Amino acid sequence: MSMTRAQRIALAIVFTWFFFGGIAHFVWPAAFASIIPPSLPLKTPAVLITGAFELAGAIGILLPRYRRAAGLGLVALTVCVTPANVYMWWHADDFPHVPELLLLFRLPLQVLLIACILWSTQPLGKRRNTVS
């Protein structure tokens, strides 16, 4: 897949986001477990599994052969963590170290992140030759 410079920059952003995010899951698992809604079980295993998927996806998007599948996996993962982001926003008082406005902006940021993932990892189709 031939990529534009802008797509390569977007791919670097996506890689950085998920690579360092994945590492953070293993460095601070308790912090990530604390944002999972109480109704969901197995918080620490969920944190470690999602961290592993973030790292796998970050590495996968660097490999052209796996880029598309890894990108779709990262989109699915981003959607799956939405309940934690909504929970944090709805229970902002439980997270006084994070400004409430930042918690609100995480939701549209997720939409932009998904768009960035898709744009940088999915083939755009064959380009038409517009020269006559």
Side-chain angles (χ1 to χ4, degrees):
M1 170 171 101
S2 175
M3 297 180 74
T4 66
R5 180 182 174 144
Q7 285 175 303
R8 287 192 300 274
I9 291 169
L11 192 68
I13 291 168
V14 172
F15 169 81
T16 301
W17 181 276
F18 285 103
F19 183 77
F20 289 107
I23 290 172
H25 280 68
F26 292 96
V27 175
W28 300 291
F32 285 92
S34 74
I35 70 172
I36 297 175
S39 59
L40 297 177
L42 305 170
K43 291 173 182 20
T44 300
V47 168
L48 299 177
I49 290 167
T50 56
F53 282 146
E54 287 191 19
L55 289 169
I59 293 166
I61 64 169
L62 296 180
L63 306 170
R65 180 177 183 166
Y66 301 106
R67 183 169 294 146
R68 182 175 185 195
L72 292 174
L74 290 174
V75 167
L77 181 61
T78 302
V79 170
C80 287
V81 301
T82 299
N85 293 336
V86 171
Y87 174 78
M88 281 186 80
W89 177 47
W90 283 352
H91 299 89
D93 292 344
D94 294 341
F95 306 96
H97 57 284
V98 183
E100 189 171 350
L101 195 57
L102 182 61
L103 295 176
L104 173 61
F105 283 137
R106 285 175 70 178
L107 299 172
L109 180 63
Q110 275 190 259
V111 174
L112 291 175
L113 179 61
I114 288 170
C116 188
I117 294 166
L118 290 172
W119 185 63
S120 64
T121 64
Q122 304 306 303
L124 298 175
K126 295 182 180 180
R127 298 201 171 139
R128 294 182 200 170
N129 186 354
T130 56
V131 178
S132 299

